[in-house]
Amino acid sequence: MRRRPDLLALSLACGLAFPAFAETVPMDCGGLVRMVEAASGYGLSAPPAGDEGGWCVLDGAVLKGAAGRPDISVKRLRLSGAEADGVPVALEIDLAGLKVTPKLGTRDVAEGLQSLMRLQTADLRLSVNRNEADDRLELRSGRLALSG
């Protein structure tokens, strides 16, 4: 009787990895921060992170934008995500007390809107998953709550 080789063993022996067989593991806090920075183009600074039920928690986080881009401060930033073979497959972002601060001297935003942005705070929650066919992360759900 002839035995057929196991597909997973064969793929591993040949150095091939099929995403369907990749083990999904939680991302560490450093990886989550790097992913947010890469996706947003903002530099993130915050006091040391804590863990809260599988979430990476950054209280008092500040996202600094490049020239012309507003700065963003967050009272509480929570991040959670998963990866498979080092490739992100899911990300959840929960921002509480989000405040956007336009840079001084920014002329492409009306002065009235700049004043409103300085007074407005928001809570924002986003969930994204990886679309393997297109090799990108896609928004699965989102919620924005504005103050006042």
Side-chain angles (χ1 to χ4, degrees):
M1 180 176 201
R2 193 169 180 192
R3 186 176 167 195
R4 291 179 23 193
D6 180 55
L7 181 60
L8 179 59
L10 180 62
S11 68
L12 293 175
C14 295
L16 303 174
F18 295 109
F21 295 124
E23 181 183 356
T24 301
V25 296
M27 292 179 71
D28 67 6
C29 198
L32 290 165
V33 168
R34 285 188 298 276
M35 186 173 163
V36 168
E37 288 177 327
S40 69
Y42 277 82
L44 182 106
S45 61
D51 184 55
E52 181 182 279
W55 288 83
C56 171
V57 179
L58 303 163
D59 289 331
V62 177
L63 293 106
K64 291 284 188 180
R69 294 181 75 186
D71 291 337
I72 300 170
S73 61
V74 182
K75 285 185 182 177
R76 175 163 270 212
L77 171 60
R78 297 182 338 134
L79 303 169
S80 178
E83 62 186 353
D85 288 338
V87 176
V89 294
L91 176 66
E92 290 191 60
I93 303 171
D94 187 15
L95 303 107
L98 172 90
K99 189 169 186 176
V100 178
T101 308
K103 303 262 193 224
L104 291 174
T106 302
R107 299 189 189 278
D108 58 345
V109 178
E111 189 174 320
L113 183 56
Q114 285 186 17
S115 297
L116 179 63
M117 289 170 70
R118 285 189 184 96
L119 298 173
Q120 185 74 54
T121 60
D123 294 340
L124 176 65
R125 182 161 187 153
L126 300 172
S127 294
V128 294
N129 280 10
R130 182 166 182 255
N131 176 332
E132 290 186 36
D134 294 331
D135 192 27
R136 65 179 178 201
L137 292 176
E138 294 181 335
L139 182 64
R140 184 179 71 205
S141 66
R143 182 175 94 54
L144 174 65
L146 300 173
S147 66

